[in-house]
Amino acid sequence: MRLQIIGDPVLHSKSPVIQGAMLAALGLDVEYTPHVVRRGELPQYLTWARENGITGFNATMPHKEDLIPLLDETDPAARAMGAVNTVCLRDGKWVGFNTDGAGAVAALKDGLGLDPAGLTVTLLGAGGAAKAAAPALSQAGAERVFVCNRTLGRAEALCAQDPLGRLSPAGFDPGTLRRMAERSQLLVNCTNLGMAGCPHQFEDFSFLDALPDGAAVFDVIYHPARTQLLAQAEGRGLRTLNGLPMLVSQAVLALEHFLNRPLDRKAMAAVAAGALGEAAL
């Protein structure tokens, strides 16, 4: 068994640390390594992976959406989200899954003690991470999720896929973000703005001023651990959470797919969190 994580950039990924620790705790001698795959190179990678004994891989930006038409099968949740982050070779077929959505909800509950049920949420972005997080928040009982994106059509397409009707599209201009934020108890950043290696940053953080007292800001980015968005939110007295707890939660679920068997999720999460702590020393 050989496992990888692919993306661009990807060499900063904590997934090898997390997955390596969990595999070792299970007594499995399995290689899990990062592999740079640039946009447009997925078909060549899938051929190479099959020829070189790769039995599964995680995918990060920019591949979560682009993988869908290249796989032999996708599970219903991943198909509904239009994005995958976990791919397994089963009976000679590439099968895709998405563990990001469940990982995001688990992170909110474990990291902030925040249950999405009944909340109004402003969610930034409509790409792969948003396609996982938005429907997961809806399914977890969020009253309303405003999906804010520069290209409104992409937000509308994402919201149209929600059978519960709890997702609403919105723009990304400062005025719209402020109007959505003032109605929300939670703001979730699913864009790559502020990510290490990304040349772009939020141009204006004034929308954070509109969030009510006690609101929380969840940035799914984990590198850097404290993005400018989180720093700005903390400076305004808001509760914050970065993407590391989500990374841990989705990694445990991904490992279940790789091994094709259930695991003790709490025990594995503890192992992963411990490995991250040691890696930071």
Side-chain angles (χ1 to χ4, degrees), residues 81-119:
M81 293 174 185
V84 302
N85 74 331
T86 302
V87 179
C88 304
L89 189 63
R90 294 190 178 164
D91 299 323
K93 296 181 179 180
W94 290 118
V95 183
F97 305 89
N98 195 307
T99 65
D100 281 333
V105 172
L108 287 168
K109 291 180 177 180
D110 297 340
L112 287 174
L114 193 61
D115 189 331
L119 299 184

PDB file of all heavy atoms in Angstrom, residues 81-119:
ATOM      1  N   MET A  81     -21.559  17.150  -3.945  1.00  0.00           N
ATOM      2  CA  MET A  81     -20.719  18.315  -3.667  1.00  0.00           C
ATOM      3  C   MET A  81     -19.942  18.773  -4.898  1.00  0.00           C
ATOM      4  O   MET A  81     -19.517  19.919  -4.978  1.00  0.00           O
ATOM      5  CB  MET A  81     -19.726  17.978  -2.547  1.00  0.00           C
ATOM      6  CG  MET A  81     -20.365  17.743  -1.201  1.00  0.00           C
ATOM      7  SD  MET A  81     -19.145  17.170   0.017  1.00  0.00           S
ATOM      8  CE  MET A  81     -20.209  16.829   1.416  1.00  0.00           C
ATOM      9  N   GLY A  82     -19.743  17.859  -5.839  1.00  0.00           N
ATOM     10  CA  GLY A  82     -18.961  18.205  -7.016  1.00  0.00           C
ATOM     11  C   GLY A  82     -17.492  18.355  -6.717  1.00  0.00           C
ATOM     12  O   GLY A  82     -16.766  19.041  -7.440  1.00  0.00           O
ATOM     13  N   ALA A  83     -17.022  17.702  -5.658  1.00  0.00           N
ATOM     14  CA  ALA A  83     -15.615  17.800  -5.279  1.00  0.00           C
ATOM     15  C   ALA A  83     -15.224  16.563  -4.482  1.00  0.00           C
ATOM     16  O   ALA A  83     -16.046  16.010  -3.740  1.00  0.00           O
ATOM     17  CB  ALA A  83     -15.363  19.054  -4.434  1.00  0.00           C
ATOM     18  N   VAL A  84     -13.990  16.138  -4.649  1.00  0.00           N
ATOM     19  CA  VAL A  84     -13.469  15.012  -3.872  1.00  0.00           C
ATOM     20  C   VAL A  84     -12.161  15.421  -3.204  1.00  0.00           C
ATOM     21  O   VAL A  84     -11.460  16.295  -3.687  1.00  0.00           O
ATOM     22  CB  VAL A  84     -13.225  13.753  -4.742  1.00  0.00           C
ATOM     23  CG1 VAL A  84     -14.497  13.304  -5.429  1.00  0.00           C
ATOM     24  CG2 VAL A  84     -12.140  14.013  -5.768  1.00  0.00           C
ATOM     25  N   ASN A  85     -11.880  14.796  -2.085  1.00  0.00           N
ATOM     26  CA  ASN A  85     -10.576  15.022  -1.448  1.00  0.00           C
ATOM     27  C   ASN A  85      -9.877  13.708  -1.113  1.00  0.00           C
ATOM     28  O   ASN A  85      -8.746  13.712  -0.637  1.00  0.00           O
ATOM     29  CB  ASN A  85     -10.723  15.867  -0.184  1.00  0.00           C
ATOM     30  CG  ASN A  85     -11.322  15.100   0.980  1.00  0.00           C
ATOM     31  OD1 ASN A  85     -12.105  14.169   0.795  1.00  0.00           O
ATOM     32  ND2 ASN A  85     -10.959  15.486   2.194  1.00  0.00           N
ATOM     33  N   THR A  86     -10.544  12.587  -1.371  1.00  0.00           N
ATOM     34  CA  THR A  86      -9.985  11.271  -1.060  1.00  0.00           C
ATOM     35  C   THR A  86     -10.310  10.329  -2.215  1.00  0.00           C
ATOM     36  O   THR A  86     -11.471  10.224  -2.615  1.00  0.00           O
ATOM     37  CB  THR A  86     -10.597  10.715   0.244  1.00  0.00           C
ATOM     38  OG1 THR A  86     -10.341  11.631   1.311  1.00  0.00           O
ATOM     39  CG2 THR A  86     -10.005   9.356   0.594  1.00  0.00           C
ATOM     40  N   VAL A  87      -9.286   9.674  -2.734  1.00  0.00           N
ATOM     41  CA  VAL A  87      -9.465   8.760  -3.861  1.00  0.00           C
ATOM     42  C   VAL A  87      -8.790   7.429  -3.538  1.00  0.00           C
ATOM     43  O   VAL A  87      -7.644   7.397  -3.084  1.00  0.00           O
ATOM     44  CB  VAL A  87      -8.873   9.347  -5.161  1.00  0.00           C
ATOM     45  CG1 VAL A  87      -9.043   8.364  -6.322  1.00  0.00           C
ATOM     46  CG2 VAL A  87      -9.534  10.684  -5.491  1.00  0.00           C
ATOM     47  N   CYS A  88      -9.503   6.333  -3.754  1.00  0.00           N
ATOM     48  CA  CYS A  88      -8.995   4.994  -3.476  1.00  0.00           C
ATOM     49  C   CYS A  88      -9.044   4.142  -4.736  1.00  0.00           C
ATOM     50  O   CYS A  88      -9.985   4.261  -5.531  1.00  0.00           O
ATOM     51  CB  CYS A  88      -9.830   4.312  -2.384  1.00  0.00           C
ATOM     52  SG  CYS A  88      -9.947   5.232  -0.847  1.00  0.00           S
ATOM     53  N   LEU A  89      -8.055   3.282  -4.887  1.00  0.00           N
ATOM     54  CA  LEU A  89      -8.051   2.322  -5.986  1.00  0.00           C
ATOM     55  C   LEU A  89      -8.690   1.038  -5.477  1.00  0.00           C
ATOM     56  O   LEU A  89      -8.126   0.337  -4.638  1.00  0.00           O
ATOM     57  CB  LEU A  89      -6.624   2.064  -6.459  1.00  0.00           C
ATOM     58  CG  LEU A  89      -6.479   1.248  -7.750  1.00  0.00           C
ATOM     59  CD1 LEU A  89      -7.105   1.984  -8.927  1.00  0.00           C
ATOM     60  CD2 LEU A  89      -5.002   0.968  -8.029  1.00  0.00           C
ATOM     61  N   ARG A  90      -9.883   0.746  -5.972  1.00  0.00           N
ATOM     62  CA  ARG A  90     -10.630  -0.431  -5.530  1.00  0.00           C
ATOM     63  C   ARG A  90     -11.041  -1.265  -6.739  1.00  0.00           C
ATOM     64  O   ARG A  90     -11.726  -0.760  -7.631  1.00  0.00           O
ATOM     65  CB  ARG A  90     -11.858  -0.023  -4.717  1.00  0.00           C
ATOM     66  CG  ARG A  90     -11.507   0.635  -3.394  1.00  0.00           C
ATOM     67  CD  ARG A  90     -12.690   0.809  -2.504  1.00  0.00           C
ATOM     68  NE  ARG A  90     -12.306   1.389  -1.230  1.00  0.00           N
ATOM     69  CZ  ARG A  90     -13.152   1.928  -0.374  1.00  0.00           C
ATOM     70  NH1 ARG A  90     -14.451   1.937  -0.658  1.00  0.00           N
ATOM     71  NH2 ARG A  90     -12.729   2.438   0.769  1.00  0.00           N
ATOM     72  N   ASP A  91     -10.591  -2.516  -6.732  1.00  0.00           N
ATOM     73  CA  ASP A  91     -10.890  -3.426  -7.843  1.00  0.00           C
ATOM     74  C   ASP A  91     -10.515  -2.805  -9.187  1.00  0.00           C
ATOM     75  O   ASP A  91     -11.247  -2.924 -10.179  1.00  0.00           O
ATOM     76  CB  ASP A  91     -12.378  -3.806  -7.839  1.00  0.00           C
ATOM     77  CG  ASP A  91     -12.788  -4.536  -6.565  1.00  0.00           C
ATOM     78  OD1 ASP A  91     -11.975  -5.338  -6.071  1.00  0.00           O
ATOM     79  OD2 ASP A  91     -13.903  -4.294  -6.073  1.00  0.00           O
ATOM     80  N   GLY A  92      -9.373  -2.118  -9.181  1.00  0.00           N
ATOM     81  CA  GLY A  92      -8.868  -1.528 -10.411  1.00  0.00           C
ATOM     82  C   GLY A  92      -9.535  -0.227 -10.816  1.00  0.00           C
ATOM     83  O   GLY A  92      -9.243   0.313 -11.887  1.00  0.00           O
ATOM     84  N   LYS A  93     -10.433   0.302  -9.974  1.00  0.00           N
ATOM     85  CA  LYS A  93     -11.143   1.530 -10.302  1.00  0.00           C
ATOM     86  C   LYS A  93     -10.786   2.637  -9.308  1.00  0.00           C
ATOM     87  O   LYS A  93     -10.638   2.384  -8.108  1.00  0.00           O
ATOM     88  CB  LYS A  93     -12.660   1.297 -10.266  1.00  0.00           C
ATOM     89  CG  LYS A  93     -13.163   0.320 -11.313  1.00  0.00           C
ATOM     90  CD  LYS A  93     -14.675   0.173 -11.211  1.00  0.00           C
ATOM     91  CE  LYS A  93     -15.202  -0.778 -12.277  1.00  0.00           C
ATOM     92  NZ  LYS A  93     -16.677  -0.929 -12.194  1.00  0.00           N
ATOM     93  N   TRP A  94     -10.664   3.863  -9.834  1.00  0.00           N
ATOM     94  CA  TRP A  94     -10.466   5.020  -8.964  1.00  0.00           C
ATOM     95  C   TRP A  94     -11.828   5.473  -8.442  1.00  0.00           C
ATOM     96  O   TRP A  94     -12.712   5.818  -9.226  1.00  0.00           O
ATOM     97  CB  TRP A  94      -9.805   6.162  -9.721  1.00  0.00           C
ATOM     98  CG  TRP A  94      -8.377   5.961 -10.105  1.00  0.00           C
ATOM     99  CD1 TRP A  94      -7.857   5.912 -11.359  1.00  0.00           C
ATOM    100  CD2 TRP A  94      -7.263   5.794  -9.218  1.00  0.00           C
ATOM    101  NE1 TRP A  94      -6.493   5.723 -11.321  1.00  0.00           N
ATOM    102  CE2 TRP A  94      -6.098   5.651 -10.016  1.00  0.00           C
ATOM    103  CE3 TRP A  94      -7.127   5.753  -7.826  1.00  0.00           C
ATOM    104  CZ2 TRP A  94      -4.823   5.461  -9.469  1.00  0.00           C
ATOM    105  CZ3 TRP A  94      -5.865   5.566  -7.290  1.00  0.00           C
ATOM    106  CH2 TRP A  94      -4.736   5.427  -8.090  1.00  0.00           C
ATOM    107  N   VAL A  95     -11.976   5.463  -7.111  1.00  0.00           N
ATOM    108  CA  VAL A  95     -13.249   5.812  -6.472  1.00  0.00           C
ATOM    109  C   VAL A  95     -13.028   7.035  -5.586  1.00  0.00           C
ATOM    110  O   VAL A  95     -12.108   7.052  -4.751  1.00  0.00           O
ATOM    111  CB  VAL A  95     -13.789   4.644  -5.629  1.00  0.00           C
ATOM    112  CG1 VAL A  95     -15.147   5.012  -5.033  1.00  0.00           C
ATOM    113  CG2 VAL A  95     -13.897   3.384  -6.479  1.00  0.00           C
ATOM    114  N   GLY A  96     -13.853   8.059  -5.763  1.00  0.00           N
ATOM    115  CA  GLY A  96     -13.681   9.307  -5.033  1.00  0.00           C
ATOM    116  C   GLY A  96     -14.671   9.493  -3.899  1.00  0.00           C
ATOM    117  O   GLY A  96     -15.836   9.093  -3.984  1.00  0.00           O
ATOM    118  N   PHE A  97     -14.176  10.139  -2.829  1.00  0.00           N
ATOM    119  CA  PHE A  97     -14.986  10.460  -1.648  1.00  0.00           C
ATOM    120  C   PHE A  97     -14.705  11.905  -1.235  1.00  0.00           C
ATOM    121  O   PHE A  97     -13.736  12.506  -1.687  1.00  0.00           O
ATOM    122  CB  PHE A  97     -14.639   9.538  -0.471  1.00  0.00           C
ATOM    123  CG  PHE A  97     -14.754   8.068  -0.778  1.00  0.00           C
ATOM    124  CD1 PHE A  97     -13.670   7.360  -1.285  1.00  0.00           C
ATOM    125  CD2 PHE A  97     -15.939   7.394  -0.556  1.00  0.00           C
ATOM    126  CE1 PHE A  97     -13.761   6.010  -1.571  1.00  0.00           C
ATOM    127  CE2 PHE A  97     -16.049   6.035  -0.845  1.00  0.00           C
ATOM    128  CZ  PHE A  97     -14.952   5.340  -1.354  1.00  0.00           C
ATOM    129  N   ASN A  98     -15.538  12.434  -0.376  1.00  0.00           N
ATOM    130  CA  ASN A  98     -15.280  13.756   0.200  1.00  0.00           C
ATOM    131  C   ASN A  98     -15.498  13.696   1.704  1.00  0.00           C
ATOM    132  O   ASN A  98     -16.603  13.400   2.159  1.00  0.00           O
ATOM    133  CB  ASN A  98     -16.190  14.818  -0.429  1.00  0.00           C
ATOM    134  CG  ASN A  98     -15.687  16.215  -0.124  1.00  0.00           C
ATOM    135  OD1 ASN A  98     -15.461  16.561   1.019  1.00  0.00           O
ATOM    136  ND2 ASN A  98     -15.498  17.019  -1.157  1.00  0.00           N
ATOM    137  N   THR A  99     -14.435  13.963   2.447  1.00  0.00           N
ATOM    138  CA  THR A  99     -14.524  13.952   3.915  1.00  0.00           C
ATOM    139  C   THR A  99     -14.438  15.358   4.492  1.00  0.00           C
ATOM    140  O   THR A  99     -14.480  15.533   5.709  1.00  0.00           O
ATOM    141  CB  THR A  99     -13.406  13.084   4.526  1.00  0.00           C
ATOM    142  OG1 THR A  99     -12.127  13.675   4.251  1.00  0.00           O
ATOM    143  CG2 THR A  99     -13.427  11.672   3.955  1.00  0.00           C
ATOM    144  N   ASP A 100     -14.324  16.377   3.621  1.00  0.00           N
ATOM    145  CA  ASP A 100     -14.164  17.751   4.100  1.00  0.00           C
ATOM    146  C   ASP A 100     -15.389  18.261   4.840  1.00  0.00           C
ATOM    147  O   ASP A 100     -15.277  18.932   5.874  1.00  0.00           O
ATOM    148  CB  ASP A 100     -13.862  18.689   2.932  1.00  0.00           C
ATOM    149  CG  ASP A 100     -12.412  18.626   2.477  1.00  0.00           C
ATOM    150  OD1 ASP A 100     -11.545  18.292   3.307  1.00  0.00           O
ATOM    151  OD2 ASP A 100     -12.150  18.914   1.304  1.00  0.00           O
ATOM    152  N   GLY A 101     -16.578  17.983   4.309  1.00  0.00           N
ATOM    153  CA  GLY A 101     -17.789  18.513   4.914  1.00  0.00           C
ATOM    154  C   GLY A 101     -17.999  18.004   6.329  1.00  0.00           C
ATOM    155  O   GLY A 101     -18.207  18.786   7.267  1.00  0.00           O
ATOM    156  N   ALA A 102     -17.924  16.691   6.492  1.00  0.00           N
ATOM    157  CA  ALA A 102     -18.073  16.109   7.832  1.00  0.00           C
ATOM    158  C   ALA A 102     -16.953  16.580   8.742  1.00  0.00           C
ATOM    159  O   ALA A 102     -17.159  16.801   9.946  1.00  0.00           O
ATOM    160  CB  ALA A 102     -18.074  14.588   7.735  1.00  0.00           C
ATOM    161  N   GLY A 103     -15.746  16.752   8.172  1.00  0.00           N
ATOM    162  CA  GLY A 103     -14.619  17.237   8.971  1.00  0.00           C
ATOM    163  C   GLY A 103     -14.834  18.656   9.458  1.00  0.00           C
ATOM    164  O   GLY A 103     -14.463  19.004  10.580  1.00  0.00           O
ATOM    165  N   ALA A 104     -15.452  19.495   8.627  1.00  0.00           N
ATOM    166  CA  ALA A 104     -15.710  20.884   9.019  1.00  0.00           C
ATOM    167  C   ALA A 104     -16.696  20.963  10.176  1.00  0.00           C
ATOM    168  O   ALA A 104     -16.500  21.713  11.141  1.00  0.00           O
ATOM    169  CB  ALA A 104     -16.243  21.668   7.817  1.00  0.00           C
ATOM    170  N   VAL A 105     -17.773  20.196  10.090  1.00  0.00           N
ATOM    171  CA  VAL A 105     -18.774  20.208  11.160  1.00  0.00           C
ATOM    172  C   VAL A 105     -18.177  19.678  12.463  1.00  0.00           C
ATOM    173  O   VAL A 105     -18.402  20.234  13.546  1.00  0.00           O
ATOM    174  CB  VAL A 105     -20.013  19.393  10.738  1.00  0.00           C
ATOM    175  CG1 VAL A 105     -20.979  19.223  11.914  1.00  0.00           C
ATOM    176  CG2 VAL A 105     -20.717  20.069   9.568  1.00  0.00           C
ATOM    177  N   ALA A 106     -17.394  18.601  12.355  1.00  0.00           N
ATOM    178  CA  ALA A 106     -16.741  18.050  13.550  1.00  0.00           C
ATOM    179  C   ALA A 106     -15.782  19.052  14.168  1.00  0.00           C
ATOM    180  O   ALA A 106     -15.694  19.169  15.401  1.00  0.00           O
ATOM    181  CB  ALA A 106     -16.010  16.760  13.189  1.00  0.00           C
ATOM    182  N   ALA A 107     -15.058  19.806  13.326  1.00  0.00           N
ATOM    183  CA  ALA A 107     -14.114  20.802  13.839  1.00  0.00           C
ATOM    184  C   ALA A 107     -14.825  21.903  14.613  1.00  0.00           C
ATOM    185  O   ALA A 107     -14.354  22.345  15.665  1.00  0.00           O
ATOM    186  CB  ALA A 107     -13.316  21.398  12.678  1.00  0.00           C
ATOM    187  N   LEU A 108     -15.960  22.359  14.083  1.00  0.00           N
ATOM    188  CA  LEU A 108     -16.719  23.396  14.781  1.00  0.00           C
ATOM    189  C   LEU A 108     -17.192  22.910  16.142  1.00  0.00           C
ATOM    190  O   LEU A 108     -17.131  23.635  17.146  1.00  0.00           O
ATOM    191  CB  LEU A 108     -17.916  23.824  13.934  1.00  0.00           C
ATOM    192  CG  LEU A 108     -17.601  24.678  12.707  1.00  0.00           C
ATOM    193  CD1 LEU A 108     -18.827  24.786  11.809  1.00  0.00           C
ATOM    194  CD2 LEU A 108     -17.131  26.064  13.134  1.00  0.00           C
ATOM    195  N   LYS A 109     -17.661  21.671  16.183  1.00  0.00           N
ATOM    196  CA  LYS A 109     -18.168  21.132  17.443  1.00  0.00           C
ATOM    197  C   LYS A 109     -17.039  20.898  18.443  1.00  0.00           C
ATOM    198  O   LYS A 109     -17.163  21.236  19.624  1.00  0.00           O
ATOM    199  CB  LYS A 109     -18.930  19.832  17.180  1.00  0.00           C
ATOM    200  CG  LYS A 109     -20.243  20.037  16.425  1.00  0.00           C
ATOM    201  CD  LYS A 109     -20.966  18.719  16.175  1.00  0.00           C
ATOM    202  CE  LYS A 109     -22.300  18.942  15.486  1.00  0.00           C
ATOM    203  NZ  LYS A 109     -23.030  17.667  15.227  1.00  0.00           N
ATOM    204  N   ASP A 110     -15.926  20.324  17.953  1.00  0.00           N
ATOM    205  CA  ASP A 110     -14.823  19.982  18.858  1.00  0.00           C
ATOM    206  C   ASP A 110     -13.943  21.188  19.181  1.00  0.00           C
ATOM    207  O   ASP A 110     -13.462  21.322  20.303  1.00  0.00           O
ATOM    208  CB  ASP A 110     -13.958  18.880  18.241  1.00  0.00           C
ATOM    209  CG  ASP A 110     -14.717  17.578  18.038  1.00  0.00           C
ATOM    210  OD1 ASP A 110     -15.753  17.395  18.703  1.00  0.00           O
ATOM    211  OD2 ASP A 110     -14.275  16.755  17.225  1.00  0.00           O
ATOM    212  N   GLY A 111     -13.728  22.062  18.178  1.00  0.00           N
ATOM    213  CA  GLY A 111     -12.804  23.175  18.373  1.00  0.00           C
ATOM    214  C   GLY A 111     -13.422  24.405  19.009  1.00  0.00           C
ATOM    215  O   GLY A 111     -12.738  25.148  19.723  1.00  0.00           O
ATOM    216  N   LEU A 112     -14.702  24.638  18.753  1.00  0.00           N
ATOM    217  CA  LEU A 112     -15.369  25.832  19.283  1.00  0.00           C
ATOM    218  C   LEU A 112     -16.569  25.500  20.161  1.00  0.00           C
ATOM    219  O   LEU A 112     -17.183  26.403  20.725  1.00  0.00           O
ATOM    220  CB  LEU A 112     -15.839  26.733  18.131  1.00  0.00           C
ATOM    221  CG  LEU A 112     -14.758  27.502  17.358  1.00  0.00           C
ATOM    222  CD1 LEU A 112     -15.379  28.226  16.172  1.00  0.00           C
ATOM    223  CD2 LEU A 112     -14.058  28.503  18.260  1.00  0.00           C
ATOM    224  N   GLY A 113     -16.906  24.221  20.255  1.00  0.00           N
ATOM    225  CA  GLY A 113     -18.116  23.854  20.973  1.00  0.00           C
ATOM    226  C   GLY A 113     -19.348  24.435  20.307  1.00  0.00           C
ATOM    227  O   GLY A 113     -20.339  24.760  20.963  1.00  0.00           O
ATOM    228  N   LEU A 114     -19.285  24.574  18.971  1.00  0.00           N
ATOM    229  CA  LEU A 114     -20.324  25.259  18.221  1.00  0.00           C
ATOM    230  C   LEU A 114     -21.091  24.270  17.349  1.00  0.00           C
ATOM    231  O   LEU A 114     -20.532  23.674  16.432  1.00  0.00           O
ATOM    232  CB  LEU A 114     -19.684  26.339  17.349  1.00  0.00           C
ATOM    233  CG  LEU A 114     -20.602  27.384  16.714  1.00  0.00           C
ATOM    234  CD1 LEU A 114     -21.328  28.181  17.790  1.00  0.00           C
ATOM    235  CD2 LEU A 114     -19.787  28.318  15.823  1.00  0.00           C
ATOM    236  N   ASP A 115     -22.360  24.118  17.635  1.00  0.00           N
ATOM    237  CA  ASP A 115     -23.231  23.273  16.823  1.00  0.00           C
ATOM    238  C   ASP A 115     -23.886  24.156  15.757  1.00  0.00           C
ATOM    239  O   ASP A 115     -24.516  25.158  16.096  1.00  0.00           O
ATOM    240  CB  ASP A 115     -24.308  22.633  17.707  1.00  0.00           C
ATOM    241  CG  ASP A 115     -25.107  21.567  16.976  1.00  0.00           C
ATOM    242  OD1 ASP A 115     -25.246  21.663  15.736  1.00  0.00           O
ATOM    243  OD2 ASP A 115     -25.614  20.644  17.642  1.00  0.00           O
ATOM    244  N   PRO A 116     -23.725  23.811  14.470  1.00  0.00           N
ATOM    245  CA  PRO A 116     -24.303  24.652  13.416  1.00  0.00           C
ATOM    246  C   PRO A 116     -25.829  24.720  13.427  1.00  0.00           C
ATOM    247  O   PRO A 116     -26.394  25.622  12.802  1.00  0.00           O
ATOM    248  CB  PRO A 116     -23.816  23.975  12.126  1.00  0.00           C
ATOM    249  CG  PRO A 116     -22.644  23.149  12.524  1.00  0.00           C
ATOM    250  CD  PRO A 116     -22.940  22.693  13.931  1.00  0.00           C
ATOM    251  N   ALA A 117     -26.487  23.801  14.108  1.00  0.00           N
ATOM    252  CA  ALA A 117     -27.947  23.762  14.101  1.00  0.00           C
ATOM    253  C   ALA A 117     -28.526  25.095  14.558  1.00  0.00           C
ATOM    254  O   ALA A 117     -28.185  25.601  15.630  1.00  0.00           O
ATOM    255  CB  ALA A 117     -28.457  22.641  15.002  1.00  0.00           C
ATOM    256  N   GLY A 118     -29.385  25.668  13.727  1.00  0.00           N
ATOM    257  CA  GLY A 118     -30.059  26.906  14.066  1.00  0.00           C
ATOM    258  C   GLY A 118     -29.282  28.171  13.776  1.00  0.00           C
ATOM    259  O   GLY A 118     -29.818  29.272  13.940  1.00  0.00           O
ATOM    260  N   LEU A 119     -28.032  28.058  13.334  1.00  0.00           N
ATOM    261  CA  LEU A 119     -27.204  29.240  13.089  1.00  0.00           C
ATOM    262  C   LEU A 119     -27.428  29.804  11.689  1.00  0.00           C
ATOM    263  O   LEU A 119     -27.797  29.091  10.761  1.00  0.00           O
ATOM    264  CB  LEU A 119     -25.721  28.903  13.237  1.00  0.00           C
ATOM    265  CG  LEU A 119     -25.216  28.408  14.591  1.00  0.00           C
ATOM    266  CD1 LEU A 119     -23.700  28.235  14.540  1.00  0.00           C
ATOM    267  CD2 LEU A 119     -25.611  29.361  15.707  1.00  0.00           C
TER     268      LEU A 119
END
